[in-house]
Amino acid sequence: MLGQMMPTQLTITAIMRHALRHHGDREIVSVVADAPLFRTTYRDVFRRASMLAHALADAGVSAGERVATLAWNDHRHLEIYYASSCAGMVLHTLNPRLFPEQIAWIVNHAEDRCLFVDPAILPLAEALAPRLPSVRHWIVLTDTANMPDTPLPGAVSYEAFIEGRAADYDWPDLHEDTACSICYTSGTTGDPKGVVYSHRSTVLHAMAACMADVMGLTQRDTVLPVVPMFHANAWGVPYAAPMVGAKLVMPGPKLADGEFLHRLMESEKVTLSLGVPTIWMALLQYLEAAGKTLTSLQRTIVGGAACPPAIMQAFRDRHGVATHHAWGMTETSPLGTFNSLKQGMDALPEPDQDDIRARQGRGIFGVELKIVGDDGAELPWDGKAFGTLKVRGPWVCSGYFRLDAGTSHDTEGWFDTGDVANIDPDGYIQITDRTKDVIKSGGEWISSIELENTAVAHADVAEAAVIGVAHERWTERPLLLIVPKPGKTVDGEGLRRWFRGKVADWWIPDDVLVVDELPHTATGKLNKLALREAYADHKLPGSDPS
Ligand code: AMP
């Protein structure tokens, strides 16, 4: 017997229509080069998305073709999100921080038809253009008055591109399984892989993001996505915010500028902000140095890399802001787990609550999780056993764009995340490493993330990275690299003593190197591959000379 409910399709167009009807007046504040604090509304953004859809159709871009962006978080980027996907085209966000060769490879692999580029990223686009034969249209994200001179063939300003078009578009009735966007994984090794999201997966993910025990996004929120719109669709915020009618503050390119973020948060009365740990480190350092506080921010969501508990404590103790840890991947749309306390946990002593909050959270409804050992057998949720984390669900990828099935999915459809985790009896996961970052010492595993968190808890340490380096007797031993806080000096031996009693003695790094900065990947994670290469020949004290 079948249910008798309407087969209404879950599409991004439905989010747009809902926001137009219910939240049309809600404000969007956008930082763009030609207007430092541009104010608009959902109504206007979606009206302009219609104009853009006409312009794209008139330019000959057809359903299923890829529409690429090299852009920051601003209102025009949001218009491209909706115009392309709702017209049946496929939005393709490119990460401008990747190596130019990687960007060229990705554009050619996706066969992007047109490319929207921010004026600040124009030199990169110009250098790449001769190698991108599929791109037929170049649109610069600015107005006619500010249109720079560019050798890009037929380049036109965004405002000129959409000018004079009708402000209503006859959006097609799309099947919910239609592709809406594509995002390539940053992949530190091998070629990048394209993850193709569908309208259905995107809508379900946005609804899940809004759940009270997840982002808990409401119409009364003002949300500032510091996470870029090219990093797994800014974690779904461009869909979740219009779904509930939250005010949206789009910070443009200055994502790692603590002073700028603080000013924006205060002037726009931001209640919720999302980003990777390095962003929060920059903001907290600025606030500490400038003696400033946050007066409207209520909660931050941190993901993309493990958040040191010291960051969460600084937000809570100095600014009264709650930090929620989330875990996910480009392949999981990206939300997979979210950390909110369970009933009764509020009453636990603060250190116990801190221990729970440091974990990456519990599976969100829709995402099944399990950890497995080397033999593939499922491991218990006892908070001790750790193994490969596998996930399954309607917003987890089932394959990669134009790639034959590989080893990432097993016969039961579980996706191998490449992360190593344990799960405690309450269901909170803890990511201990990427599989390839785990340090194998004498047959046992050492968690680099736990060592980094312990180092960053030291008052004089700004950032830390731990890698395994070869050791004759133990196979690998941990090497700690740290960046001291401005004006502080850190002595390696003293820091090694700091670890005593905080981690098992045999986990304590064999050596500590003080460096000016640590390398990061294009999505703001510590670049462990670069560090392993740079320190491959590092001789640890006491290791046998060879
Ligand atoms: P990406 O696809 O670039 O978003 O990278 C996904 C990877 O980032 C995951 O597989 C994890 O290794 C890492 N990651 C994401 N969130 C967290 C987190 N909260 N804690 C630790 N690692 C994380």
Side-chain angles (χ1 to χ4, degrees):
M1 178 173 159
L2 292 176
Q4 292 184 312
M5 289 291 139
M6 296 183 187
T8 307
Q9 299 296 292
L10 301 176
T11 62
I12 294 169
T13 322
I15 299 180
M16 177 168 65
R17 288 200 174 114
H18 175 83
L20 268 172
R21 178 159 289 267
H22 293 278
H23 312 298
D25 293 337
R26 198 68 166 122
E27 197 175 26
I28 297 175
V29 179
S30 170
V31 176
V32 279
D34 48 285
L37 211 56
F38 181 76
R39 292 184 185 275
T40 180
T41 58
Y42 282 113
R43 180 172 299 111
D44 221 40
V45 158
F46 292 137
R47 197 178 55 81
R48 283 161 50 88
S50 277
M51 295 164 75
L52 176 56
H54 280 294
L56 285 168
D58 291 350
V61 185
S62 40
E65 291 193 320
R66 270 73 64 200
V67 171
T69 61
L70 267 172
W72 303 107
N73 294 9
D74 60 38
H75 67 289
R76 292 191 181 108
H77 204 174
L78 191 64
E79 290 161 11
I80 305 167
Y81 258 56
Y82 280 84
S84 55
S85 300
C86 298
M89 300 157 194
V90 183
L91 168 77
H92 178 195
T93 53
L94 292 160
N95 183 343
R97 297 182 185 134
L98 292 174
F99 291 119
E101 298 69 38
Q102 265 180 321
I103 299 178
W105 189 95
I106 291 171
V107 171
N108 288 325
H109 188 263
E111 289 187 273
D112 295 328
R113 279 287 166 262
C114 50
L115 207 154
F116 290 82
V117 54
D118 188 277
I121 315 173
L122 202 53
L124 174 67
E126 287 168 356
L128 290 176
R131 286 189 270 157
L132 309 179
S134 65
V135 178
R136 294 201 206 112
H137 307 282
W138 300 90
I139 303 106
V140 184
L141 293 163
T142 188
D143 54 20
T144 323
N146 291 288
M147 179 68 182
D149 273 342
T150 171
L152 287 174
V156 57
S157 81
Y158 181 87
E159 296 303 326
F161 190 57
I162 67 169
E163 195 182 0
R165 314 277 168 175
D168 57 337
Y169 188 80
D170 188 14
W171 302 107
D173 290 327
L174 299 170
H175 190 282
E176 61 185 16
D177 290 332
T178 308
C180 64
S181 60
I182 181 165
C183 185
Y184 280 71
T185 58
S186 41
T188 36
T189 50
D191 288 331
K193 290 184 247 165
V195 177
V196 186
Y197 307 107
S198 68
H199 280 258
R200 173 185 149 86
S201 73
T202 304
V203 170
L204 290 174
H205 177 265
M207 289 174 84
C210 293
M211 287 198 289
D213 268 333
V214 188
M215 288 187 200
L217 201 59
T218 74
Q219 201 272 345
R220 293 169 298 286
D221 273 309
T222 295
V223 54
L224 170 72
V226 186
V227 52
M229 289 167 80
F230 53 75
H231 187 188
N233 295 331
W235 303 351
V237 172
Y239 307 109
M243 185 178 264
V244 297
K247 173 177 163 182
L248 200 47
V249 181
M250 325 231 14
K254 288 204 224 161
L255 304 179
D257 180 336
E259 181 178 2
F260 167 78
L261 287 179
H262 174 248
R263 217 176 329 119
L264 200 55
M265 284 174 171
E266 291 298 303
S267 68
E268 299 308 320
K269 306 220 174 328
V270 170
T271 57
L272 169 67
S273 191
L274 308 89
V276 295
T278 43
I279 296 294
W280 301 135
M281 246 180 265
L283 176 64
L284 288 167
Q285 264 175 32
Y286 164 74
L287 295 174
E288 197 177 326
K292 299 267 166 77
T293 54
L294 297 162
T295 58
S296 65
L297 192 68
Q298 295 163 2
R299 52 203 203 283
T300 51
I301 295 172
V302 58
C307 180
I311 290 186
M312 301 187 183
Q313 284 151 18
F315 266 124
R316 184 193 57 203
D317 299 342
R318 290 183 217 148
H319 307 285
V321 174
T323 308
H324 295 274
H325 219 168
W327 167 90
M329 316 176 67
T330 305
E331 286 90 334
T332 62
S333 294
L335 285 174
T337 69
F338 194 89
N339 195 316
S340 51
L341 295 188
K342 277 173 126 173
Q343 197 276 330
M345 287 178 170
D346 286 328
L348 292 173
E350 214 163 66
D352 294 354
Q353 286 191 32
D354 285 352
D355 287 349
I356 299 167
R357 289 184 190 280
R359 302 176 78 87
Q360 278 77 2
R362 291 176 288 133
I364 298 168
F365 169 75
V367 178
E368 285 182 89
L369 308 164
K370 68 174 177 179
I371 44 173
V372 301
D374 288 343
D375 57 359
E378 186 166 355
L379 296 168
W381 292 21
D382 59 8
K384 296 188 191 85
F386 55 90
T388 300
L389 178 65
K390 291 193 166 194
V391 294
R392 205 162 62 168
W395 56 87
V396 177
C397 75
S398 59
Y400 292 103
F401 187 51
R402 293 177 168 165
L403 213 71
D404 292 338
T407 52
S408 50
H409 293 81
D410 66 21
T411 48
E412 291 168 341
W414 289 90
F415 173 71
D416 181 339
T417 65
D419 284 332
V420 180
N422 68 57
I423 308 181
D424 74 11
D426 283 308
Y428 289 80
I429 71 161
Q430 180 173 27
I431 305 287
T432 55
D433 260 309
R434 288 290 293 163
T435 319
K436 53 188 187 306
D437 295 338
V438 155
I439 300 162
K440 297 167 199 91
S441 176
E444 301 281 348
W445 287 9
I446 295 176
S447 161
S448 64
I449 292 180
E450 202 168 326
L451 293 179
E452 286 155 9
N453 285 347
T454 308
V456 173
H458 189 284
D460 297 337
V461 175
E463 201 179 8
V466 175
I467 53 166
V469 292
H471 190 283
E472 280 212 346
R473 176 150 179 230
W474 300 111
T475 317
E476 272 184 346
R477 289 294 302 158
L479 166 67
L480 168 64
L481 297 112
I482 62 123
V483 180
K485 283 197 178 152
K488 304 284 180 190
T489 48
V490 178
D491 124 76
E493 262 322 293
L495 195 58
R496 274 169 37 81
R497 280 197 298 279
W498 165 256
F499 280 86
R500 287 207 198 119
K502 297 187 175 72
V503 298
D505 278 354
W506 64 275
W507 277 36
I508 297 178
D510 286 25
D511 203 0
V512 179
L513 298 180
V514 179
V515 294
D516 291 337
E517 60 177 349
L518 289 166
H520 292 94
T521 67
T523 47
K525 301 177 210 298
L526 282 169
N527 191 340
K528 298 272 182 92
L529 184 72
L531 285 175
R532 274 196 297 272
E533 280 170 9
Y535 293 93
D537 298 327
H538 182 76
K539 288 280 167 270
L540 295 166
S543 64
D544 308 322
S546 52

